[in-house]
mmCIF file of all heavy atoms in Angstrom:
data_model
loop_
_atom_site.group_PDB
_atom_site.id
_atom_site.type_symbol
_atom_site.label_atom_id
_atom_site.label_comp_id
_atom_site.label_asym_id
_atom_site.label_seq_id
_atom_site.Cartn_x
_atom_site.Cartn_y
_atom_site.Cartn_z
ATOM 1 N N TYR D 140 -49.730 -45.477 20.773
ATOM 2 C CA TYR D 140 -50.857 -45.653 21.714
ATOM 3 C C TYR D 140 -52.158 -45.331 20.869
ATOM 4 O O TYR D 140 -53.197 -46.014 21.154
ATOM 5 C CB TYR D 140 -50.790 -44.703 22.937
ATOM 6 C CG TYR D 140 -49.792 -45.195 23.952
ATOM 7 C CD1 TYR D 140 -49.413 -44.423 25.064
ATOM 8 C CD2 TYR D 140 -49.128 -46.357 23.925
ATOM 9 C CE1 TYR D 140 -48.501 -44.610 26.031
ATOM 10 C CE2 TYR D 140 -48.313 -46.813 24.885
ATOM 11 C CZ TYR D 140 -47.894 -45.984 25.914
ATOM 12 O OH TYR D 140 -47.003 -46.350 26.926
ATOM 13 N N LYS D 143 -52.997 -48.283 18.929
ATOM 14 C CA LYS D 143 -53.512 -49.333 19.823
ATOM 15 C C LYS D 143 -54.912 -49.089 20.181
ATOM 16 O O LYS D 143 -55.839 -50.005 20.154
ATOM 17 C CB LYS D 143 -52.604 -49.351 20.919
ATOM 18 C CG LYS D 143 -52.844 -50.326 22.022
ATOM 19 C CD LYS D 143 -52.280 -51.694 21.679
ATOM 20 C CE LYS D 143 -52.587 -52.760 22.750
ATOM 21 N NZ LYS D 143 -52.424 -54.128 22.174
ATOM 22 N N ILE D 144 -55.325 -47.849 20.532
ATOM 23 C CA ILE D 144 -56.572 -47.484 21.000
ATOM 24 C C ILE D 144 -57.577 -47.870 19.771
ATOM 25 O O ILE D 144 -58.705 -48.351 20.037
ATOM 26 C CB ILE D 144 -56.703 -46.005 21.366
ATOM 27 C CG1 ILE D 144 -56.006 -45.723 22.715
ATOM 28 C CG2 ILE D 144 -58.158 -45.508 21.398
ATOM 29 C CD1 ILE D 144 -55.715 -44.299 23.149
ATOM 30 N N LEU D 147 -58.089 -51.422 19.718
ATOM 31 C CA LEU D 147 -58.934 -51.969 20.873
ATOM 32 C C LEU D 147 -60.395 -51.611 20.694
ATOM 33 O O LEU D 147 -61.356 -52.354 20.977
ATOM 34 C CB LEU D 147 -58.366 -51.403 22.219
ATOM 35 C CG LEU D 147 -57.023 -51.868 22.694
ATOM 36 C CD1 LEU D 147 -56.548 -51.118 23.892
ATOM 37 C CD2 LEU D 147 -56.992 -53.372 22.831
ATOM 38 N N TYR L 121 -53.443 -41.507 26.790
ATOM 39 C CA TYR L 121 -53.691 -42.695 26.014
ATOM 40 C C TYR L 121 -53.514 -43.953 26.688
ATOM 41 O O TYR L 121 -54.072 -44.952 26.475
ATOM 42 C CB TYR L 121 -52.812 -42.662 24.716
ATOM 43 C CG TYR L 121 -53.188 -41.584 23.639
ATOM 44 C CD1 TYR L 121 -52.356 -41.292 22.601
ATOM 45 C CD2 TYR L 121 -54.466 -40.933 23.687
ATOM 46 C CE1 TYR L 121 -52.685 -40.435 21.630
ATOM 47 C CE2 TYR L 121 -54.742 -40.071 22.714
ATOM 48 C CZ TYR L 121 -53.928 -39.766 21.653
ATOM 49 O OH TYR L 121 -54.230 -38.856 20.778
ATOM 50 N N ARG L 122 -52.418 -43.982 27.574
ATOM 51 C CA ARG L 122 -52.123 -45.182 28.284
ATOM 52 C C ARG L 122 -53.232 -45.559 29.231
ATOM 53 O O ARG L 122 -53.636 -46.769 29.319
ATOM 54 C CB ARG L 122 -50.885 -44.985 29.082
ATOM 55 C CG ARG L 122 -50.075 -46.317 29.388
ATOM 56 C CD ARG L 122 -48.770 -46.008 30.107
ATOM 57 N NE ARG L 122 -48.960 -45.322 31.324
ATOM 58 C CZ ARG L 122 -49.329 -45.855 32.522
ATOM 59 N NH1 ARG L 122 -49.631 -47.061 32.598
ATOM 60 N NH2 ARG L 122 -49.476 -45.083 33.571
ATOM 61 N N HIS L 123 -53.948 -44.487 29.878
ATOM 62 C CA HIS L 123 -55.080 -44.759 30.749
ATOM 63 C C HIS L 123 -56.157 -45.335 29.939
ATOM 64 O O HIS L 123 -56.924 -46.249 30.325
ATOM 65 C CB HIS L 123 -55.488 -43.489 31.477
ATOM 66 C CG HIS L 123 -54.593 -43.169 32.607
ATOM 67 N ND1 HIS L 123 -54.623 -43.957 33.821
ATOM 68 C CD2 HIS L 123 -53.647 -42.205 32.897
ATOM 69 C CE1 HIS L 123 -53.817 -43.464 34.569
ATOM 70 N NE2 HIS L 123 -53.185 -42.403 34.100
ATOM 71 N N LYS L 124 -56.372 -44.727 28.821
ATOM 72 C CA LYS L 124 -57.489 -45.081 27.785
ATOM 73 C C LYS L 124 -57.319 -46.587 27.469
ATOM 74 O O LYS L 124 -58.276 -47.395 27.518
ATOM 75 C CB LYS L 124 -57.490 -44.135 26.785
ATOM 76 C CG LYS L 124 -58.532 -44.491 25.732
ATOM 77 C CD LYS L 124 -59.845 -43.831 26.072
ATOM 78 C CE LYS L 124 -60.982 -44.009 25.014
ATOM 79 N NZ LYS L 124 -62.226 -43.859 25.606
ATOM 80 N N ILE L 125 -56.075 -46.951 27.187
ATOM 81 C CA ILE L 125 -55.733 -48.437 26.771
ATOM 82 C C ILE L 125 -56.202 -49.312 27.791
ATOM 83 O O ILE L 125 -56.779 -50.297 27.625
ATOM 84 C CB ILE L 125 -54.253 -48.524 26.350
ATOM 85 C CG1 ILE L 125 -54.039 -47.789 25.032
ATOM 86 C CG2 ILE L 125 -53.777 -49.871 26.306
ATOM 87 C CD1 ILE L 125 -52.574 -47.662 24.491
ATOM 88 N N ASN L 126 -55.776 -48.890 29.115
ATOM 89 C CA ASN L 126 -56.106 -49.795 30.229
ATOM 90 C C ASN L 126 -57.564 -49.979 30.355
ATOM 91 O O ASN L 126 -58.041 -51.108 30.546
ATOM 92 C CB ASN L 126 -55.640 -49.145 31.587
ATOM 93 C CG ASN L 126 -54.139 -49.305 31.815
ATOM 94 O OD1 ASN L 126 -53.466 -50.311 31.094
ATOM 95 N ND2 ASN L 126 -53.474 -48.496 32.752
ATOM 96 N N GLU L 127 -58.352 -48.806 30.148
ATOM 97 C CA GLU L 127 -59.824 -48.998 30.290
ATOM 98 C C GLU L 127 -60.387 -49.829 29.179
ATOM 99 O O GLU L 127 -61.231 -50.785 29.555
ATOM 100 C CB GLU L 127 -60.454 -47.561 30.165
ATOM 101 C CG GLU L 127 -60.496 -46.675 31.369
ATOM 102 C CD GLU L 127 -60.806 -45.260 31.088
ATOM 103 O OE1 GLU L 127 -61.490 -45.080 29.998
ATOM 104 O OE2 GLU L 127 -60.354 -44.390 31.707
ATOM 105 N N LEU L 128 -59.830 -49.614 28.044
ATOM 106 C CA LEU L 128 -60.305 -50.402 26.912
ATOM 107 C C LEU L 128 -60.021 -51.923 27.053
ATOM 108 O O LEU L 128 -60.769 -52.879 26.767
ATOM 109 C CB LEU L 128 -59.820 -49.850 25.558
ATOM 110 C CG LEU L 128 -60.122 -48.507 25.099
ATOM 111 C CD1 LEU L 128 -59.496 -48.032 23.892
ATOM 112 C CD2 LEU L 128 -61.813 -48.493 24.858
ATOM 113 N N GLN L 129 -58.766 -52.191 27.550
ATOM 114 C CA GLN L 129 -58.454 -53.556 27.777
ATOM 115 C C GLN L 129 -59.291 -54.281 28.761
ATOM 116 O O GLN L 129 -59.823 -55.366 28.689
ATOM 117 C CB GLN L 129 -56.969 -53.687 28.195
ATOM 118 C CG GLN L 129 -56.107 -53.539 26.903
ATOM 119 C CD GLN L 129 -54.565 -53.398 27.310
ATOM 120 O OE1 GLN L 129 -54.267 -52.940 28.389
ATOM 121 N NE2 GLN L 129 -53.695 -53.805 26.293
ATOM 122 N N LYS L 130 -59.604 -53.453 29.857
ATOM 123 C CA LYS L 130 -60.580 -53.956 30.977
ATOM 124 C C LYS L 130 -61.934 -54.331 30.312
ATOM 125 O O LYS L 130 -62.496 -55.329 30.518
ATOM 126 C CB LYS L 130 -60.821 -52.944 32.016
ATOM 127 C CG LYS L 130 -59.806 -52.995 33.236
ATOM 128 C CD LYS L 130 -60.294 -52.126 34.331
ATOM 129 C CE LYS L 130 -59.073 -51.636 35.067
ATOM 130 N NZ LYS L 130 -59.292 -50.367 35.747
#
Side-chain angles (χ1 to χ4, degrees):
Chain D
Y140 284 172
K143 180 78 177 164
I144 287 168
L147 295 174
Chain L
Y121 285 171
R122 207 176 55 80
H123 281 290
K124 181 78 179 165
I125 288 169
N126 279 346
E127 279 168 26
L128 294 173
Q129 280 171 336
K130 270 189 211 153

